[in-house]
Amino acid sequence: MNLNFLKTIPVLLLFAGCAGNGGSSTTVASYLNENLPLEERIEDALSRMTLEEKVAVLHAQSKFSSAGVPRLGIPELWCTDGPHGIRPEVLWDEWNQARWTNDSCTAFPALTCLAATWNPRMAALYGRSIGEEARYREKDVLLGPGVNIYRTPLNGRNFEYMGEDPYLASRMVVPYVREVQKNGVAACVKHFALNNQETRRHSVNVVVDDRALREIYLPAFEAAVRQGGAWSVMGAYNKYRGEHCCHNRYLLNDILKGEWGFDGAVISDWGGAHDTKQSAENGLDLEFGTGTDGLRAGTRNAYDNYHLAFPYLEMLRRGEADLATLDDKVRRVLRLNFRTAMNTHKPFGSLNSPEHLAAARRIAGEGMVLLKNDGGELPLDSVAVKRLLVVGENAVKMMTVGGGSSSLKVRHEYTPMEGILEAVGDRCEVTFERGYVGDPTGSYNGVETGQDLSETRSEEQLIADAVEAAKRADAVIFVGGLNKSAYQDCEGTDRRQYGLPYAQDRVIEALAAANPHLTVVLVSGNAVAMPWLDRVPAVLEAWFSGSETGHALTDVLFGRVNPSGKLPFTFPVRLEDNAAHAMGEFPGGDSVRYNESILVGYRWHDTKAIRPLFAFGHGLSYTTFEIGNVKADRTTLTPKGVLHVTADVTNTGDRAGAEVVQLYIGDEESSLSRPVKELKGFEKVQLAPGETRTVTFEIAPEALRYYDDTKGQWVAEPGRFTAYVGAASDDIRGQVEFTLE
Ligand code: GLC
């Protein structure tokens, strides 16, 4: 039973006391009066708090909550993972679920899938929906979204982030943050910053030059804060410039709070704070933790022993910590609290509603990327196909459980197999072959899938059985990829190989030899090698797509939805073609050097002329589009002016569809080296067959800037530039030159 209401009694007495004095008009204490300006309320609350109360609100009191001020009726703050859905309730001091029966959630697609929609309206729909679920579960802080840049295909948590390009991630994170927060729930943008690998994530010191920091790794965080208005930011586990990011003076005080004017709270990653003095002085506001046994085995590592708890209180009492800094932290936590827990104008939210499931299905269907489709293999015509074979563990294995802190408990997950069976009904005979054994387990943090994926056949037998079945089928769908188990797209571990695990390549090769009508569906959050690509007519990247995977996948496979997703990161042919593996360091040792600097992803492939397997921005449709007539309304851009680039896009096929028209800019004469071109605009356009639309991009000098680390400032250098317009970073359909004066 929730006894939180007891905490309001002091407030009610306060209220009643006022009313008791002879009937004068009742006045509530300023901090409680939501008609007053937020800052005035914060100052009033702050002035009433004791030193102990101030320190108490700066650190965890349980696994996912921090204290309020009971005496003043200021409630606790409750956090929840994660970026893809609301984690099941946990016990006070545990990671495991509390086994409630009313906290199953909607698992929305992983953020790589959202990014792959290239549609900010989908990000808004996503943010609104997940924010409503967090609100309904009475959570104040949603620990997401994650916007760490995709530097290597081996990073275990890339599936939680929005790809390799800072402009795409920036455009997609802002609506997500804004819409979450309309529910009175704070977004907590993570992991700030440079958390681009899981290997030695708690200690690795990232060495990166200022250009790459500013041009590649920070922009999405800056957009989330300055355009999205994020109410909280989570510090990363790793170090930068030798200091842990959870208490990093340069990142938190100088950049986040100084340059960007962030007025929210910096929350540590769980166990991310390692030093009391640095936690006190370097910008950490709210310390959460992984380890504590304060409720079981004495006080060692208990919450009161956290850096911003007793140790900080002792420093303050001894005059070794600055009181003004303390008050700044408390103001930020109170601001977070008043925006969320204390906010009485919040909507009520909803959980597992038909609208949320429909949103999950729509986002997933719009994010899936048709990588290859020779001979119109897809969409499958379930009328013509009488015998359909489905092969692969990922066709039946639930993916919403596992992968780390983003793991969820859903009411139901439609697997690919369930979706296929539902889609074809009795119109065709569907058979299943396991093909390979990946991870037959199915539990995480006390959530069990309940699936029995046990298998006794050998690898050889599994392949032989699949091949036999393939010979009898009209069409074959292989569903494989990764599976969020350790080393296979999972928090805490990076991948050990670029190729598909579990001998899937052998299965695919054997199937391709047995039946030419083969579609490979990849369920993953990362790029993978495809040595069999020439022998497979159709390949679809389906991502980790959440509760509605089966429905969204069959919507695309059978043509109810015309795919319009575009890759948010490059698929290199070989791992060595990726910048971090060609010249960077990965995973490094105590330090990891980003020697590739700004040449991340397509920036590297373009500049080094390395053909990718599939390029950033690539994605096919069941119709065809033409992009042409690329023009600029002027050839010279003045420092205060704007220039417009227009292009016509036409649906030249016979069915409606959407194209993502992409604008890249190249600086033809810069004093510092720059990539050949960089994404500076995109627009997703829905077109009926035969329809033409003109897309207009506005270019201001800001879009032409680079960070001059010799001067420590952004510069837009006069000279010649080229605007490229196309359907992918390696599919430019027109270009126009202009000069910046
Ligand atoms: C984890 C993750 C972070 C998550 C937090 C709480 O270690 O790094 O993303 O939100 O701890 O589970």
Side-chain angles (χ1 to χ4, degrees), residues 1-10 76 138:
M1 177 181 176
N2 186 330
L3 302 179
N4 275 337
F5 76 92
L6 291 175
K7 296 192 180 87
T8 62
I9 286 178
E76 302 160 335
E138 297 192 342

Side-chain angles (χ1 to χ4, degrees), residues 64 81 87 95 143 157 190-191 201 234 237 269-270 405 491:
F64 283 99
D81 286 313
R87 181 182 189 138
W95 286 113
L143 301 174
R157 292 188 83 174
K190 67 188 186 182
H191 306 87
R201 66 171 175 161
M234 184 188 293
Y237 279 134
D269 200 339
W270 268 236
S405 57
E491 177 179 340

Side-chain angles (χ1 to χ4, degrees), residues 330-406:
V330 177
R331 283 194 185 90
R332 292 172 181 277
V333 173
L334 287 174
R335 195 170 294 126
L336 176 62
N337 196 311
F338 286 18
R339 285 167 165 166
T340 58
M342 286 277 279
N343 171 355
T344 63
H345 303 302
K346 293 177 286 194
F348 290 102
S350 54
L351 187 67
N352 261 321
S353 62
E355 293 78 9
H356 291 171
L357 291 169
R361 178 171 182 167
R362 182 174 170 198
I363 295 163
E366 197 168 320
M368 291 183 183
V369 182
L370 183 57
L371 295 174
K372 180 180 181 185
N373 190 25
D374 285 0
E377 183 66 28
L378 293 177
L380 286 174
D381 178 346
S382 58
V383 175
V385 173
K386 284 301 167 210
R387 287 185 304 282
L388 177 62
L389 172 66
V390 179
V391 180
E393 183 177 282
N394 278 7
V396 296
K397 180 180 174 58
M398 281 175 66
M399 291 291 167
T400 53
V401 176
S405 57
S406 61

Side-chain angles (χ1 to χ4, degrees), residues 4 7 61 65-69 74-78 92 140 337 340-342:
N4 275 337
K7 296 192 180 87
Q61 64 172 8
S65 75
S66 56
V69 189
I74 295 175
E76 302 160 335
L77 277 176
W78 283 85
W92 186 260
D140 306 306
N337 196 311
T340 58
M342 286 277 279

Side-chain angles (χ1 to χ4, degrees), residues 520-711:
V520 169
V521 174
L522 293 173
V523 173
S524 70
N526 257 316
V528 296
M530 301 183 197
W532 32 262
L533 185 61
D534 293 345
R535 292 172 289 291
V536 173
V539 182
L540 178 73
E541 175 59 62
W543 310 115
F544 297 118
S545 290
S547 299
E548 285 291 294
T549 295
H551 288 143
L553 177 61
T554 48
D555 286 344
V556 171
L557 287 177
F558 294 104
R560 278 193 298 276
V561 165
N562 186 356
S564 61
K566 299 281 186 176
L567 289 180
F569 51 75
T570 308
F571 276 52
V573 174
R574 306 169 303 125
L575 192 57
E576 302 66 47
D577 292 351
N578 166 279
H581 296 268
M583 76 173 289
E585 268 186 345
F586 176 83
D590 292 340
S591 285
V592 58
R593 296 178 184 341
Y594 290 10
N595 299 323
E596 74 281 5
S597 179
I598 57 176
L599 297 180
V600 174
Y602 70 91
R603 289 170 166 83
W604 170 263
H605 284 265
D606 285 351
T607 306
K608 300 295 182 184
I610 299 172
R611 278 190 59 72
L613 185 67
F614 293 107
F616 173 80
H618 170 78
L620 303 177
S621 170
Y622 293 149
T623 184
T624 50
F625 298 97
E626 246 169 39
I627 298 173
N629 196 18
V630 175
K631 291 185 295 191
D633 61 355
R634 66 193 66 240
T635 55
T636 304
L637 177 58
T638 59
K640 295 277 184 243
V642 291
L643 175 145
H644 294 95
V645 172
T646 56
D648 294 342
V649 53
T650 303
N651 180 343
T652 51
D654 57 7
R655 64 169 291 173
E659 178 60 294
V660 179
V661 184
Q662 300 159 43
L663 170 76
Y664 297 84
I665 301 277
D667 186 345
E668 305 308 338
E669 42 188 352
S670 62
S671 48
L672 295 184
S673 70
R674 297 189 73 177
V676 167
K677 63 181 187 289
E678 299 178 284
L679 183 72
K680 296 294 179 184
F682 62 85
E683 186 171 337
K684 190 164 206 174
V685 185
Q686 299 281 349
L687 293 168
E691 184 183 1
T692 295
R693 192 92 57 80
T694 299
V695 175
T696 301
F697 297 105
E698 180 170 286
I699 299 172
E702 287 71 43
L704 311 179
R705 299 180 310 172
Y706 66 87
Y707 188 78
D708 184 337
D709 48 2
T710 62
K711 300 175 184 160

